[in-house]
Amino acid sequence: MNKDAGASVKSIAADTKQRRPRLVRAAVSLPDATTTVRMLDADLAIDAVGWLEVESSAVCGTDIGLYRSGLDGPTVLGHHVVGSIVSLDAAQADAWGVAVGDRVALEEYLPCQDAACAACSSGCYRMCPQTDLWKGKRRVGLVSAEEGSGLHGGNAEFMQLAANSIVHKLPADLDPDLAAWTQPFANAIDWTINVGGAQEGTTVVVVGPGYHGIAAVAAARAAGAAQIVAIGLSSSVEGLEIAEVLGATPVVHDDGDLGEVILRATAGRGTDVLVDTVGLEGSAVAASARSLRTGGRLVVSGLGSTPMYLDLKALVRGAHSIVGVRGRSPSAVTRSIDILASGSSGLDVVPTVAVPLDEVDEMFARMVEGRGPSSPHVVVRPQPVLAESAGRTEESRVS
């Protein structure tokens, strides 16, 4: 554990007695794929029930994809947010079961919470149309910086909390680098275990050793999988090395039949769970599906763009399942926090690349061009003290 960073987090949390920010430094990302640091006025906030002092904002592939394709307008990105509550309405504190000074992780969803909403009324708020990434767009890190205070994302010193924010309390002493994994690891737990069915003794294959791929390897490890295989391109060898340290068999695959690659890696046995985190093209999905064992599941989290042919007879005969996944269940977040707090996730071996606000523009440009750090764990640290003391450097090596 980074002791200095942990002390910094505790000191920030201990100094929170209903503090409301006024002028806040924020990295504002623009439609032309540039980012500038601006001072935003917290007094312009609309419907804020509290404020969060941001500890970390982990960079997700979704952020970079939106940045590359062009944002709708100025936006404070960052939706994998961890921080300490510095002010909060009493009624909201009771509703959430948290208090000023508590350290929390946010989910990105800002659901409507309307009783007439089928998703919200059933507890599946991640599917609320208001939170949809392509339609409603009411999500942390996606609301316009021109709305109210503009402080709706994690790439800022502070961000506002709304009554429909989704908040999860974190242990005060959870290592900052591990805390930043809360949401991506929860995604992986949901995809790999809850949906994929990984459990003790199963074989799990993960395609793509990136941010969510590494988390999926850690989730398979937590489930007690008997064999874990991580498959990636030769250009992602550093990610494969990290996956190997986490207990996976690393396999480089640049071309050829992916199904045959999986069968070779599993000594012909095939796999119980196949997690696609990259969005395989159609023929690769079809080929990989042939490697599923009886009752096996193909879990698709990446957004593929080509048509797919499936052998439906083989699908039926093998009792296979193919399922798409988005986000995570609340229970997956709880399990993520518990495993991270126990110290058994293994994710502490992944180097953290800490990025201060002034360097967000440069880092995002690198990542858009495919020149990002070798470690997939890139974390914006808006607080100068945490940016300096938390996280290992890009040059760190897994040992």
Side-chain angles (χ1 to χ4, degrees):
M1 175 175 176
N2 187 324
K3 294 181 180 179
D4 292 337
S8 299
V9 171
K10 291 178 182 177
S11 67
I12 287 173
D15 191 36
T16 52
K17 298 251 177 96
Q18 289 293 349
R19 292 192 290 125
R20 283 199 70 236
R22 172 63 199 288
L23 295 178
V24 177
R25 293 182 79 241
V28 180
S29 296
L30 306 173
D32 64 354
T34 61
T35 296
T36 181
V37 177
R38 298 178 181 175
M39 298 296 292
L40 300 184
D41 189 349
D43 284 348
L44 298 177
I46 300 170
D47 298 329
V49 299
W51 288 90
L52 186 79
E53 185 166 24
V54 178
E55 171 187 318
S56 65
S57 176
V59 181
C60 174
T62 301
D63 295 316
I64 302 305
L66 291 168
Y67 196 68
R68 181 190 297 113
S69 61
L71 298 166
D72 293 340
T75 308
V76 178
L77 291 171
H79 62 277
H80 287 171
V81 186
V82 170
S84 296
I85 297 172
V86 295
S87 70
L88 189 63
D89 292 353
Q92 203 63 49
D94 289 340
W96 288 341
V98 297
V100 170
D102 282 346
R103 196 168 170 221
V104 299
L106 301 185
E107 292 192 64
E108 64 267 37
Y109 312 111
L110 296 171
C112 69
Q113 298 184 330
D114 191 323
C117 174
C120 290
S121 62
S122 68
C124 191
Y125 50 78
R126 59 175 152 164
M127 294 301 176
C128 172
Q130 178 170 292
T131 74
D132 187 272
L133 181 61
W134 300 274
K135 296 179 180 177
K137 299 185 178 181
R138 300 300 298 182
R139 298 161 71 97
V140 170
L142 201 55
V143 177
S144 172
E146 296 175 335
E147 179 178 316
S149 69
L151 295 165
H152 310 292
N155 295 349
E157 293 174 322
F158 295 84
M159 67 169 287
Q160 71 177 71
L161 298 172
N164 59 342
S165 296
I166 307 297
V167 173
H168 297 266
K169 188 174 179 180
L170 294 176
D173 60 353
L174 180 58
D175 179 88
D177 292 343
L178 287 177
W181 277 104
T182 299
Q183 297 304 348
F185 189 40
N187 288 346
I189 288 170
D190 207 50
W191 305 346
T192 309
I193 301 175
N194 297 350
V195 176
Q199 58 185 313
E200 187 172 354
T202 54
T203 296
V204 178
V205 174
V206 178
V207 180
Y211 186 48
H212 279 104
I214 292 298
V217 169
R221 163 181 160 143
Q227 182 182 15
I228 307 168
V229 177
I231 299 176
L233 301 173
S234 55
S235 58
S236 58
V237 64
E238 293 90 350
L240 290 174
E241 290 174 354
I242 293 172
E244 185 174 19
V245 173
L246 283 168
T249 300
V251 176
V252 175
H253 172 67
D254 288 320
D255 52 44
D257 188 309
L258 182 57
E260 291 301 318
V261 169
I262 293 172
L263 289 171
R264 285 198 301 272
T266 58
R269 295 185 301 272
T271 183
D272 299 294
V273 186
L274 174 56
V275 183
D276 169 19
T277 70
V278 299
L280 292 168
E281 52 91 15
S283 61
V285 174
S288 62
R290 295 198 302 270
S291 68
L292 293 174
R293 291 179 181 173
T294 301
R297 292 188 178 185
L298 168 58
V299 180
V300 182
S301 68
L303 295 173
S305 59
T306 59
M308 178 175 63
Y309 167 78
L310 286 177
D311 184 342
L312 295 182
K313 290 182 179 179
L315 184 73
V316 172
R317 290 170 179 167
H320 297 154
S321 300
I322 300 176
V323 60
V325 288
R326 284 173 56 187
R328 84 300 298 176
S329 65
S331 64
V333 182
T334 300
R335 188 168 182 183
S336 171
I337 294 169
D338 288 345
I339 294 173
L340 291 168
S342 74
S344 64
S345 71
L347 290 168
D348 54 308
V349 306
V350 185
T352 299
V353 182
V355 183
L357 290 179
D358 291 326
E359 296 177 16
V360 169
D361 183 52
E362 178 185 358
M363 178 58 73
F364 279 12
R366 288 178 55 191
M367 296 178 78
V368 164
E369 295 170 1
R371 299 183 295 106
S374 57
S375 174
H377 195 39
V378 179
V379 179
V380 176
R381 301 277 187 190
Q383 309 298 332
V385 64
L386 290 180
E388 291 173 3
S389 62
R392 291 164 284 279
T393 67
E394 180 179 343
E395 288 73 28
S396 296
R397 284 287 171 261
V398 178
S399 58

